[in-house]
Amino acid sequence: NQGSSWLKASVSVKAYDQFSLVFEAQKGSSFTGDISIDDISFSSSCCKDWSKESSSSIKNTFSLGTQVVRGKDWTWQNQDGGPGAIGNVSNVLSSTNWVSVSWYNNHNNSYRMGNNGKYDLYLLNDTPAKTISACSANTNFDKGNKGVWIRSTSDKFDWTVKSGSTSSIGTGPTADHTTGTSAGYYIYIETSSVGVGSNAILNSPLLQAPAADSCSLSFWYHMYGGTIGTLNVNLTTTTGSTRTIWTKSGQQGNQWFKGTTTAIPKSTGNFYISFEAIKGASYTGDIALDDITFAPSCCGASGCQVLYNFGKTKADFQSWWNERKDDIDWNLQKGSTSSSLTGPSADHT
């Protein structure tokens, strides 16, 4: 019994394809159990008609790093990894209303956001991409994940997550930097099958403005081989201005070296970071990266202790996701776990 007045209810609908809703009412113990509903309405975010959006509006909404899922016209089978899988926008072709996406299963392709009246994607949270703390982008590529970093689709070839040696003799590392063993992972460019001068770009999502003028980015790089090209670290602001904040060219020897960028001041505002590797004259030009780390001064008072409270929905895994090649998955839960005498009875938040 909820009383004798009308009450308003709202539900959040996270649909990855076309869907229907069902109102189900169950009778109580006797005849005094009538249930009524009225004034059913959907919020405007359920009814976005992208066919009426201009190219510039699509570009602003589907900005670099925006999380997306399958849309109503999805016809691409399991390129994304299956229904409900999440990807990040890696490029927006505003003149043709196509959006390029890097999926968490490492597949990349372009999808229609208005081209020929088809809409292959939905925004995961029905909002443009949000900024994340720079320290949320710290990664050592453990277990083969590239973290929140996004392979560009506007370059010539891709960065590849790897363990052990690269596939070419006389170039590249034999182990990652984090563990120093073949069990650890790093990310690198394989230069044996692309043309001289080809570039591979690894982008960050949109990062929050630095907390202090002493903000900088450090990383470990490996540039061993007779025909090593160039590694650039570029910073792009939300106004579209890009500058190189670190660069290195040529053979550096068969070991890992630490790189640190020039300072990224608070006045930069929100920003993107990209690692651009450029192939040299031949196949002995593999370049590798590991242990990408932003200084605590990039990330506010909490430093690099970035907190996630996992919220209320599956979307609140935020930039975290379950590994596809492990044995079991982490589950979102509230209250007690399903087993007695183990686990918490409530969250910490």
Side-chain angles (χ1 to χ4, degrees):
N1 188 349
Q2 303 299 315
S4 60
S5 59
W6 286 95
L7 303 174
K8 184 178 181 179
S10 298
V11 296
S12 177
V13 178
K14 293 293 182 183
Y16 302 113
D17 208 330
Q18 299 181 39
F19 65 94
S20 61
L21 293 179
V22 177
F23 289 91
E24 179 183 22
Q26 294 183 339
K27 178 184 175 179
S29 60
S30 188
F31 68 94
T32 55
D34 292 353
I35 299 173
S36 300
I37 59 175
D38 199 4
D39 297 324
I40 299 170
S41 62
F42 287 87
S43 66
S44 59
S45 61
C46 299
C47 311
K48 191 75 171 179
D49 183 1
W50 291 103
S51 65
K52 297 179 181 178
E53 295 295 312
S54 66
S55 296
S56 60
S57 176
I58 290 174
K59 184 172 184 178
N60 290 335
T61 304
F62 285 84
S63 57
L64 185 68
T66 303
Q67 290 184 308
V68 292
V69 295
R70 294 186 180 198
K72 69 183 183 70
D73 295 315
W74 182 269
T75 58
W76 305 87
Q77 298 181 355
N78 286 333
Q79 289 188 351
D80 57 340
I86 300 171
N88 296 101
V89 172
S90 55
N91 193 30
V92 179
L93 310 176
S94 59
S95 62
T96 57
N97 289 359
W98 283 75
V99 175
S100 298
V101 175
S102 176
W103 299 100
Y104 287 173
N105 68 349
N106 294 331
H107 187 84
N108 300 272
N109 210 335
S110 298
Y111 303 91
R112 301 165 296 187
M113 280 311 306
N115 184 272
N116 296 326
K118 300 293 184 180
Y119 306 93
D120 299 316
L121 303 173
Y122 287 130
L123 295 171
L124 179 62
N125 295 310
D126 291 318
T127 59
K130 297 179 180 178
T131 60
I132 66 170
S133 166
C135 291
S136 296
N138 292 350
T139 184
N140 62 8
F141 304 104
D142 190 29
K143 293 187 177 180
N145 288 332
K146 62 184 187 308
V148 299
W149 293 82
I150 309 159
R151 293 185 180 97
S152 174
T153 57
S154 60
D155 52 8
K156 299 299 184 182
F157 67 116
D158 284 335
W159 289 87
T160 302
V161 178
K162 188 78 170 66
S163 63
S165 300
T166 66
S167 58
S168 299
I169 298 173
T171 186
T174 57
D176 77 329
H177 173 263
T178 312
T179 69
T181 72
S182 60
Y185 287 82
Y186 55 89
I187 198 165
Y188 87 110
I189 60 163
E190 174 56 56
T191 58
S192 59
S193 60
V194 295
V196 176
S198 296
N199 67 335
I201 299 174
L202 189 69
N203 290 319
S204 74
L206 182 60
L207 304 175
Q208 293 168 4
D213 289 336
S214 58
C215 169
S216 64
L217 169 65
S218 66
F219 53 93
W220 288 81
Y221 64 93
H222 194 284
M223 299 174 68
Y224 165 61
T227 56
I228 293 290
T230 299
L231 176 62
N232 297 319
V233 183
N234 299 317
L235 182 150
T236 301
T237 68
T238 54
T239 64
S241 172
T242 298
R243 70 178 188 273
T244 299
I245 56 175
W246 187 94
T247 187
K248 187 75 69 174
S249 297
Q251 159 114 262
Q252 303 299 315
N254 190 12
Q255 65 184 85
W256 288 96
F257 293 91
K258 185 176 182 179
T260 302
T261 67
T262 58
I264 307 171
K266 292 190 292 184
S267 60
T268 302
N270 297 338
F271 65 100
Y272 302 97
I273 291 290
S274 62
F275 288 91
E276 180 187 28
I278 303 172
K279 178 183 174 175
S282 188
Y283 72 92
T284 55
D286 294 353
I287 297 173
L289 289 172
D290 203 0
D291 296 322
I292 298 172
T293 308
F294 285 88
S297 56
C298 299
C299 314
S302 63
C304 291
Q305 301 301 315
V306 183
L307 301 179
Y308 297 93
N309 63 17
F310 294 106
K312 299 178 181 179
T313 71
K314 290 181 178 179
D316 288 325
F317 266 116
Q318 299 182 54
S319 60
W320 298 83
W321 65 91
N322 278 309
E323 167 64 40
R324 296 182 184 277
K325 296 179 181 179
D326 55 7
D327 296 318
I328 59 174
D329 283 339
W330 288 89
N331 295 309
L332 290 176
Q333 174 74 9
K334 64 179 179 179
S336 300
T337 62
S338 57
S339 301
S340 300
L341 303 179
T342 186
S345 58
D347 77 330
H348 173 262
T349 309

